[in-house]
Amino acid sequence: MTIIPVSGGAFAAYDVMVGRGLLAQAGKHIAPLAKGRTVIVTDETVAGIHAQALTASLTAAGVKSEVVAVPAGEGSKSFAELERVLDRLLEIGLDRKDVVIALGGGVVGDLAGLAAALFMRGIDFVQIPTTLLAQVDSSVGGKTAIDTPRGKNLIGAFHQPRLVLADIDVLATLPPRQVKSGWAEVLKHGLICDAAFFDWLAGEGAAGAAGDPAALERAVIRSVEIKSAVVGEDEKEAGRRALLNLGHTFGHAVETEVGFDEGALAHGEAVALGCCMAFRYSAREGLCSAADVERVEAVVSAAGLPTRLAQAGVFVADRLLALMAGDKKAEGGALTLILARGIGQVFVAKGVDADKVRAFLIEEGATA
């Protein structure tokens, strides 16, 4: 097992534990944090696969638990499900000494984390991410949120977990498409600040996209190390943390336009597409080379992820642009994008010319 500390001046330090067999050991790791009861928030699919093992581990460690399950899928990141989870916490009678456990992917982590942030003005929670995407990204850093019809993750709070348990073994239960979706966030970390890591992902490490456990473990560890370092410097995205959103401004707009339909476009697929678009826009502006763009596209495509807008559907440039202007990183309606000077060299670009982005979207295949 590898333990990666996450610490920053504005929040209490916590550990991310990465290894195999951690779900069975969860009780002994959570027991020191649980002064009273725990409530496991999960989704109906994950509950049928992993909830019994977790409750058994908690019971063996003398920790009481109850399970609250929500429907699987992005649709659960909603006001309606948030209200239902909060009502169940009240019905169960949780207090400020109790702990919420998020058992699932990014949807469950975001929903349970936001519920924990709001319940009695904030109680402790633990992340047990069961998808690759959640292990390398959403479970670390304290971002919690729900979606609205106007955009993704627009209603939320920063609420750091007390502990993250990333069990590589649970990834074996994922469909191949979900592994590939999570791999997009792994590739993103290399593109942001670690060209050597990206080289490994393009070569020997590429086996992780097909589910190889050893490659997955190394990829999760390095991804968490990168994210931990960034979050420790900038918890609330006032500066460097925005770099972690490479590909997300383009990707979130596309996700919103397809109605968060994961059957049409999974979140990681949107991120992969968005990263390719960000590199192509950067090359269009003379910031990075065409060779870098070609390499990024080749590695993303080899992982079975989309690189072109047409692979996600048919879009209208002005609609995508409006959604991008409403992104959390936008300031005063002006666009903020994460752009690249090369692989491993991205930066925050504020006040990006909307007309240039509109022309780029049309070049990408969106209708005028």
Side-chain angles (χ1 to χ4, degrees), residues 77-277:
K77 283 177 58 169
S78 66
F79 278 110
E81 287 301 322
L82 176 63
E83 182 179 15
R84 189 171 77 82
V85 170
L86 288 169
D87 187 62
R88 282 290 289 130
L89 300 186
L90 291 166
E91 183 181 26
I92 291 166
L94 252 59
D95 62 38
R96 286 178 173 170
K97 293 182 179 180
D98 296 329
V99 176
V100 170
I101 300 172
L103 175 68
V107 169
V108 166
D110 277 7
L111 178 65
L114 183 55
L118 295 172
F119 188 79
M120 294 189 176
R121 297 189 177 94
I123 64 172
D124 288 344
F125 86 113
V126 171
Q127 289 268 21
I128 305 182
T130 61
T131 66
L132 177 58
L133 194 151
Q135 288 189 3
V136 302
D137 186 56
S138 60
S139 66
V140 181
K143 280 188 175 181
T144 70
I146 57 172
D147 303 332
T148 82
R150 295 185 183 275
K152 188 177 175 73
N153 296 333
L154 294 180
I155 307 297
F158 288 93
H159 188 55
Q160 299 288 346
R162 290 293 308 280
L163 175 70
V164 181
L165 300 176
D167 187 344
I168 301 301
D169 287 344
V170 304
L171 302 180
T173 67
L174 294 177
R177 186 181 180 196
Q178 282 201 35
V179 176
K180 294 179 189 300
S181 182
W183 199 250
E185 294 281 2
V186 175
L187 293 173
K188 180 200 76 176
H189 287 122
L191 291 173
I192 287 170
C193 63
D194 193 338
F197 181 45
F198 188 79
D199 288 343
W200 179 78
L201 295 170
E204 177 189 351
D212 178 75
L216 284 170
E217 186 165 4
R218 180 172 170 181
V220 172
I221 290 169
R222 183 60 188 135
S223 292
V224 173
E225 287 173 344
I226 290 170
K227 186 159 189 183
S228 169
V230 174
V231 169
E233 291 180 23
D234 178 22
E235 181 194 13
K236 296 189 176 179
E237 210 169 274
R240 188 167 177 241
R241 184 168 180 173
L243 299 179
L244 295 169
N245 289 307
L246 174 67
H248 284 62
T249 303
F250 288 113
H252 280 173
V254 175
E255 278 186 281
T256 304
E257 275 296 87
V258 301
F260 305 117
D261 180 357
E262 292 179 297
L265 188 72
H267 175 65
E269 293 167 345
V271 170
L273 171 60
C275 286
C276 290
M277 293 177 72

Side-chain angles (χ1 to χ4, degrees), residues 343-354:
I343 293 171
Q345 303 175 62
V346 303
F347 66 99
V348 180
K350 296 187 177 184
V352 177
D353 189 324

Side-chain angles (χ1 to χ4, degrees), residues 27-67:
K28 74 175 185 180
H29 295 302
I30 294 172
L33 306 175
K35 303 294 190 293
R37 291 162 295 180
T38 63
V39 170
I40 301 164
V41 178
T42 186
D43 70 40
E44 292 163 354
T45 299
V46 174
I49 303 171
H50 298 303
Q52 185 174 358
L54 176 56
T55 55
S57 178
L58 291 167
T59 300
V63 179
K64 296 179 181 178
S65 64
E66 294 199 38
V67 176

